[in-house]
Amino acid sequence: MKKVGFRAVLTAFAIVLLLMLGCKDGKEDDGFRHAPAPVAAADTLRSKDWRPVLVDSKYGYANPANELVLPPLYNEARHFSEGLAFVRIGRDTGYIDATGKRVIQAEGGDFQNGMAVVMKQSDEQAAYAGESWIYINKNGENVLNKQFYRANAFSEGLASVMPDESGGMVFMDPSGKTALDTVYGYAGNFQEGYAVVMLRQKWGFIDKQGNPLTGFAYDAARDFVEGKAAVMRGDRWGFIDKDGNEIIPPQYDEVGPFTEGLAKFESNGLWGFIEASGRVRVQATFPHTKGFSEGLAVVQDANGLWGYIDTNGAYRIEPRFEAAFGSENGAMLVKRPETGEYGYVDHNGNEVRFSSE
């Protein structure tokens, strides 16, 4: 997401004061509040529905009532996963708990199955020594006592990794043991029971026992979402279902995943939306668009401005924004061209402000 370059003086003063008060452990002030203990089960439940929101130039966290539960301190912030969230202040990174305290100093992916994959070396070291990834628990400990050249998060109980620079990828279980015998040229995450893999330059899907769904018949493939996966034959995209049937034959220049029953498609340089039956719901008339979220899709008009349409293609908010993002909890982040500032609007286009909890 594009970052905003302005900063309110009073907000900055408040943030500095807060950090000065919170830095009591004798460490150099890096902008984080520190905590020695991992996240508790109660905090995991508490933070489940929190989301990062942009307030002025920094990210904080809001609850479903649009109340700020953590102040806007962060240059980058991701959603909480299993009670921890990855954040960045300047060049300093780490995972925070529901109180906003940093419990792990590292940079990596979200927690899944109690583990997160993080880079063991700094970017500068990796440039010379090759990438090195490990899996940590919520204490920041290397739980598998292994390192990998490339590694993905655990998903549905398995993770795909590249053990070394040879380029082959395998699936492993949470104990670190190889779960499937085959070595793939590419292996993605399991999603809805299947993982996208490449074998001998062809793409297909396997289940958790390694059984192929369709054979390796495609020139590219993407994850299952809402029971449907995008596949490419030649230079055209279509969709298959979880029985391996081509429910929409490859015919489009590009497609997006199905969200809320509709998938975006590109034809002759313009975008529209199709149903799972293949019927076109919204004609391809937009230069660009994003998928549906909470009943609305972001679309761009011929003048380069962004607005929102409903599932029938009617404008809910006419194009008037320089940038626009999907709906989350009834609010959308937008950039107003007249001021160059970011803010939030609701589904009627009215301004949304975040109050203190």
Side-chain angles (χ1 to χ4, degrees), residues 176-223:
K177 295 180 180 179
T178 300
L180 302 175
D181 294 332
T182 305
V183 178
Y184 299 99
Y186 170 84
N189 291 331
F190 273 92
Q191 189 161 312
E192 299 188 6
Y194 292 95
V196 176
V197 293
M198 182 181 70
L199 189 64
R200 293 184 289 275
Q201 304 304 311
K202 285 292 186 178
W203 295 73
F205 302 85
I206 58 168
D207 63 19
K208 293 179 185 177
Q209 287 71 49
N211 302 312
L213 174 64
T214 60
F216 298 91
Y218 297 104
D219 296 301
R222 295 173 182 156
D223 292 335

Side-chain angles (χ1 to χ4, degrees), residues 56-80:
D56 294 328
S57 60
K58 298 291 180 68
Y59 289 93
Y61 285 86
N63 63 18
N66 287 334
E67 298 168 330
L68 282 175
V69 291
L70 291 177
L73 304 175
Y74 311 107
N75 299 106
E76 180 183 352
R78 294 207 295 258
H79 283 77
F80 276 84

Side-chain angles (χ1 to χ4, degrees), residues 11-24 29 31-33 70-73:
T11 301
F13 178 79
I15 291 172
V16 171
L17 180 60
L18 176 61
L19 297 180
M20 291 174 61
L21 293 173
C23 187
K24 299 178 180 179
D29 185 4
F32 285 97
R33 289 177 286 163
L70 291 177
L73 304 175

Side-chain angles (χ1 to χ4, degrees), residues 252 265 272-275 277-284:
Y252 296 112
F265 71 92
F273 290 89
I274 51 174
E275 301 172 351
S277 66
R279 185 177 80 90
V280 174
R281 173 78 72 84
V282 180
Q283 295 295 325

Side-chain angles (χ1 to χ4, degrees), residues 107-273:
E107 181 172 1
D110 296 337
F111 274 88
Q112 302 289 337
N113 293 90
M115 292 182 280
V117 57
V118 301
M119 182 172 280
K120 183 179 180 181
Q121 299 166 308
S122 68
D123 291 340
E124 291 80 3
Q125 290 173 316
Y128 294 99
E131 294 186 21
S132 181
W133 295 84
I134 62 173
Y135 289 85
I136 62 170
N137 61 17
K138 293 180 183 179
N139 292 314
E141 302 163 335
N142 183 351
V143 289
L144 300 181
N145 295 315
K146 295 181 178 181
Q147 60 187 48
F148 305 91
Y149 185 69
R150 300 278 170 80
N152 291 317
F154 276 89
S155 178
E156 300 185 5
L158 296 175
S160 58
V161 297
M162 185 183 294
D164 52 47
E165 296 183 51
S166 66
M169 298 190 73
V170 298
F171 287 95
M172 69 175 184
D173 64 24
S175 72
K177 295 180 180 179
T178 300
L180 302 175
D181 294 332
T182 305
V183 178
Y184 299 99
Y186 170 84
N189 291 331
F190 273 92
Q191 189 161 312
E192 299 188 6
Y194 292 95
V196 176
V197 293
M198 182 181 70
L199 189 64
R200 293 184 289 275
Q201 304 304 311
K202 285 292 186 178
W203 295 73
F205 302 85
I206 58 168
D207 63 19
K208 293 179 185 177
Q209 287 71 49
N211 302 312
L213 174 64
T214 60
F216 298 91
Y218 297 104
D219 296 301
R222 295 173 182 156
D223 292 335
F224 274 96
V225 181
E226 295 188 1
K228 296 163 281 292
V231 294
M232 185 173 74
R233 185 182 293 115
D235 60 354
R236 292 290 182 266
W237 287 92
F239 289 89
I240 63 171
D241 63 19
K242 294 175 79 171
D243 292 321
N245 301 315
E246 288 188 359
I247 57 174
I248 300 176
Q251 58 188 287
Y252 296 112
D253 299 335
E254 183 58 275
V255 295
F258 274 88
T259 57
E260 301 184 1
L262 296 172
K264 67 178 185 177
F265 71 92
E266 183 186 18
S267 181
N268 297 319
L270 295 174
W271 291 84
F273 290 89

